[in-house]
Amino acid sequence: MVDNCLDCQKDREQFFDSFESDIPYTAIPSDGPNVIRKFPSDTPEYLLKWHEDEEDRIIHVNEITDWKFQFDNELPVELNPSKEIHIPKGRIHRIIKGSGDLIVEIRML
């Protein structure tokens, strides 16, 4: 049976849109295969959750920042242009908020 209820459709769309509001970054269009994400300076810290990814990836920042990266059970490390961070699939990690915006380039492996 097909549900043609417009109110129901609107409720469904709002439900799925609510997941998007919990994402602490915006995607920046890229010409290449890498993904670019911007974490604005006003990102609420509670959105920067411990998580794991479904594939290996490498992250890189292009500008000096005071944001940090942390693997579970390790000390945080500074994110800076001279360092790439390899994140293995399934390894728990998080971003720690700094000042200003953070822009990262992500290469999926």
Side-chain angles (χ1 to χ4, degrees), residues 5 22 35 50 54 56 58 62 79 83 99 102 105-106:
C5 171
D22 283 345
V35 174
W50 289 100
E54 296 180 4
D56 288 359
I58 292 177
N62 293 324
L79 289 169
K83 180 185 290 187
S99 58
L102 170 67
E105 187 170 348
I106 303 169

Side-chain angles (χ1 to χ4, degrees):
M1 179 173 153
V2 177
D3 184 2
N4 291 324
C5 171
L6 293 178
D7 288 336
C8 297
Q9 180 64 28
K10 182 179 173 186
D11 289 345
R12 253 192 242 86
E13 288 173 6
Q14 287 176 341
F15 172 75
F16 287 112
D17 287 347
S18 71
F19 290 107
E20 294 296 318
S21 65
D22 283 345
I23 296 174
Y25 59 82
T26 55
I28 297 175
S30 169
D31 293 335
N34 296 345
V35 174
I36 299 174
R37 293 181 179 161
K38 177 182 179 180
F39 295 80
S41 61
D42 62 352
T43 300
E45 288 187 46
Y46 74 87
L47 291 179
L48 300 171
K49 302 173 185 176
W50 289 100
H51 67 282
E52 58 186 298
D53 300 318
E54 296 180 4
E55 66 277 320
D56 288 359
R57 55 185 60 188
I58 292 177
I59 63 170
H60 181 265
V61 297
N62 293 324
E63 297 178 11
I64 294 174
T65 177
D66 62 348
W67 289 62
K68 295 183 180 182
F69 177 89
Q70 184 177 19
F71 282 117
D72 192 23
N73 294 319
E74 292 188 18
L75 294 173
V77 295
E78 293 182 4
L79 289 169
N80 62 59
S82 66
K83 180 185 290 187
E84 288 187 337
I85 298 175
H86 177 245
I87 306 170
K89 172 184 174 180
R91 183 126 186 238
I92 297 173
H93 62 280
R94 69 175 175 161
I95 298 281
I96 298 172
K97 185 176 176 175
S99 58
D101 296 340
L102 170 67
I103 298 176
V104 297
E105 187 170 348
I106 303 169
R107 182 170 25 135
M108 309 298 184
L109 302 176

